[in-house]
Amino acid sequence: MNRRQMLMLSLPLIAAPTLALAQNGLPAAPAAKPVAKRDPYAPTEVAIRPDFEVGSIIVVSKDFFLYHVIAPGRAVRYGVAVGKDELVWRGRATVGRKTEWPSWRPTPAMIKRKPEQYGKWADGMPGGPTNPLGARALYLYDARGNDTSIRIHGTTEPGSIGRAVSNGCIRMRNEAVMDLYEQIPTGTPVYVY
């Protein structure tokens, strides 16, 4: 008996249990495992318009993405969380300072809006794993060299990525902001739309 004949004889034995279960009203054997959905906010290299300056950072707030331009027409796209409707910051800035495990101090406006939440930190909170700025922060400065109080930073709430939840800053997952932090120097232009 050759290989093909053996296979043809064994086919009914393979199919019989599944057919028997289906005929008895019992569920058939489970199908192959479904492929896990890809995280839409995971860092991904993407094509972009070729006119963006290589090395620059582009944030499209309404889409919850930050793009780090790595070559003409190419960028690494990261998911972000942005400011709530009335707190969205837009404009041009530069990265004026970079900090690992930054300390944090709420702005006077934040304390005024929610004194019960932010008042206890009026004198600041030291950097570390529970700090709202996360593992890294990029401080945005305006054209005159003034601190805008807007940061691109990590977060203790990775589930907030893809939503409008912050007080104006741009949040990234800690592993993403750590990656970006290593790639960009101070002076990097940032455009927030």
Side-chain angles (χ1 to χ4, degrees):
M1 188 178 288
N2 68 27
R3 188 185 226 172
R4 184 175 182 183
Q5 290 171 326
M6 286 187 69
L7 183 61
M8 294 305 286
L9 287 173
S10 64
L11 190 56
L13 297 173
I14 294 169
T18 304
L19 291 173
L21 289 173
Q23 290 172 353
N24 290 332
L26 297 173
K33 285 186 178 181
V35 176
K37 286 186 178 180
R38 191 183 162 298
D39 177 0
Y41 299 111
T44 307
E45 188 172 325
V46 296
I48 59 166
R49 290 186 348 220
D51 56 330
F52 287 116
E53 179 182 351
V54 173
S56 65
I57 294 173
I58 314 299
V59 179
V60 182
S61 298
K62 70 178 182 62
D63 294 336
F64 306 106
F65 287 118
L66 177 152
Y67 299 84
H68 176 222
V69 183
I70 57 172
R74 301 299 301 168
V76 175
R77 182 184 70 194
Y78 298 90
V80 296
V82 298
K84 297 174 200 157
D85 291 336
E86 71 279 8
L87 301 172
V88 173
W89 182 86
R90 289 183 172 81
R92 183 190 187 287
T94 58
V95 175
R97 184 163 71 97
K98 298 171 29 171
T99 304
E100 295 183 22
W101 295 106
S103 60
W104 171 73
R105 175 173 290 150
T107 65
M110 290 169 67
I111 295 170
K112 185 177 180 181
R113 273 193 306 277
K114 293 187 176 180
E116 67 288 347
Q117 183 175 354
Y118 299 120
K120 64 183 171 185
W121 302 113
D123 292 327
M125 175 189 235
T130 60
N131 186 297
L133 294 185
R136 304 289 184 272
L138 309 172
Y139 295 73
L140 303 187
Y141 285 68
D142 67 20
R144 291 181 297 233
N146 298 315
D147 186 350
T148 64
S149 296
I150 300 299
R151 316 284 183 247
I152 297 172
H153 64 80
T155 183
T156 56
E157 300 174 5
S160 68
I161 302 304
R163 300 185 323 178
V165 294
S166 80
N167 282 288
C169 288
I170 299 154
R171 295 182 188 176
M172 301 176 75
R173 291 185 178 133
N174 280 330
E175 60 275 10
V177 78
M178 291 166 74
D179 180 53
L180 183 64
Y181 180 95
E182 293 300 322
Q183 296 179 50
I184 61 134
T186 57
T188 296
V190 178
Y191 304 89
V192 181
Y193 299 98

